[in-house]
Amino acid sequence: MKSVINYMILFAVSTMVWSCKSDEPGPVTVPEPEWKLDLVENEPAPTWNTPGSGIYQFSMTAIIRLSEFLETYADANDEISAFVGDECRGIATVKENNGVKLFFLYIRGNSAEAQKVTLKYYSAKNKKTYVCQNLLEFEQNGTYGKVTKPAVPPFEESGKYPAVMTAVVALPESVPFDYRDKDMLAAFVGAECRGVGTLKDVNGKKVYLFEIRGKKDESASVYFQYYSLQTSGIYRAAETFQFSNGGNSGTEESPFQLSLQPVTE
């Protein structure tokens, strides 16, 4: 009889707990979001032309690779050009060399050039021309970069989000959803996604590594949103920090801790 009474008490308590949980508002159901850093600027494709033969008697070679950041947006229709003043002195398209995407750029010139060489990179995917103004001296038979160590011009510094900071963040130990591979944690400034976290296991704890992009001299608040595939809902963190170029928030050993609340409207 005593065991029956204990069972009934346990059942009543469980029912009350379940009832309380079911009364908690869940997130509004939404389609899977397409959170990503949007670099598209809709500039027209350039109409660069190589110099005619015999105009310049000398040349130098540039072997260029895009930065790790821009390489994720690379396209077969991308081009890099060299300019001295307003004159195009060479154009290169991407070539694959032992699995590495390189641009082999031949730059034409005279023995004594008064101006430095400017490099321009057109990203077909981002519809944007990135410019490294007056980057290097023209050198007869010279080289800029090698196949074994290609030059990586800082093209992104002239882009939409030239500033960057890093962050390591963690979710609460208890979350109101089951993890799925397609779940996403993203960083936002205003309504703009500024980076999507990469999940990493550190000593059995899930942390998210971020490279957060920003505008020049930006100091706006960065906040986070999580999309759960299991609930088809979005959860927003109350915690924020200020964007700071070159800054960092959290480490793998001591991540920036988030709490999550469902977005209900």
Side-chain angles (χ1 to χ4, degrees):
M1 183 67 178
K2 185 176 180 181
S3 62
V4 173
I5 293 173
N6 289 339
Y7 174 80
M8 292 176 67
I9 292 172
L10 179 62
F11 177 78
V13 171
S14 300
T15 302
M16 289 176 64
V17 171
W18 181 87
S19 177
C20 290
K21 285 187 176 180
S22 65
D23 290 339
E24 295 177 359
V28 64
T29 301
V30 297
E32 185 177 346
E34 295 184 1
W35 290 337
K36 62 181 180 179
L37 186 69
D38 182 10
L39 297 182
V40 176
E41 298 200 38
N42 292 315
E43 293 182 6
T47 54
W48 296 324
N49 294 303
T50 54
S53 60
I55 296 178
Y56 299 104
Q57 53 185 322
F58 300 113
S59 68
M60 68 176 292
T61 303
I63 301 173
I64 295 170
R65 184 176 185 178
L66 298 176
S67 67
E68 185 177 345
F69 170 62
L70 283 178
E71 202 167 59
T72 61
Y73 300 89
D75 186 274
N77 295 313
D78 291 355
E79 291 183 320
I80 290 181
S81 65
F83 275 76
V84 175
D86 295 329
E87 292 182 310
C88 180
R89 299 293 184 86
I91 304 171
T93 55
V94 66
K95 306 290 183 186
E96 193 149 323
N97 185 77
N98 294 327
V100 179
K101 295 176 180 177
L102 299 176
F103 294 82
F104 294 88
L105 178 62
Y106 297 97
I107 307 169
R108 313 296 181 186
N110 294 315
S111 57
E113 292 286 353
Q115 294 177 277
K116 289 186 176 181
V117 177
T118 290
L119 296 183
K120 299 183 180 183
Y121 162 58
Y122 177 71
S123 168
K125 186 172 289 186
N126 294 338
K127 295 179 172 59
K128 164 70 177 176
T129 299
Y130 299 84
V131 180
C132 288
Q133 196 74 35
N134 300 325
L135 185 65
L136 63 143
E137 300 276 358
F138 178 83
E139 182 182 348
Q140 178 183 338
N141 300 323
T143 57
Y144 174 68
K146 303 176 182 178
V147 171
T148 54
K149 190 177 181 181
V152 184
F155 286 120
E156 61 266 33
E157 291 182 4
S158 64
K160 191 174 181 179
Y161 300 116
V164 61
M165 73 174 295
T166 58
V168 182
V169 304
L171 300 183
E173 289 188 10
S174 177
V175 292
F177 47 76
D178 296 329
Y179 287 104
R180 298 285 190 270
D181 289 342
K182 288 190 176 181
D183 288 1
M184 288 187 291
L185 181 64
F188 290 81
V189 172
E192 296 179 337
C193 177
R194 296 296 185 82
V196 177
T198 301
L199 182 61
K200 182 179 181 180
D201 186 282
V202 178
N203 298 324
K205 184 178 178 64
K206 290 183 173 68
V207 299
Y208 291 82
L209 310 182
F210 277 90
E211 188 176 83
I212 303 170
R213 293 279 163 171
K215 299 174 183 177
K216 187 178 180 181
D217 301 325
E218 190 167 40
S219 60
S221 292
V222 178
Y223 69 94
F224 294 86
Q225 293 193 110
Y226 188 96
Y227 174 74
S228 165
L229 188 66
Q230 188 249 331
T231 65
S232 295
I234 294 173
Y235 300 79
R236 178 165 172 165
E239 297 78 13
T240 65
F241 53 74
Q242 294 298 110
F243 180 86
S244 174
N245 187 22
N248 177 71
S249 184
T251 64
E252 291 187 9
E253 295 74 24
S254 180
F256 183 80
Q257 191 68 47
L258 302 179
S259 61
L260 296 177
Q261 294 296 326
V263 176
T264 57
E265 59 181 28

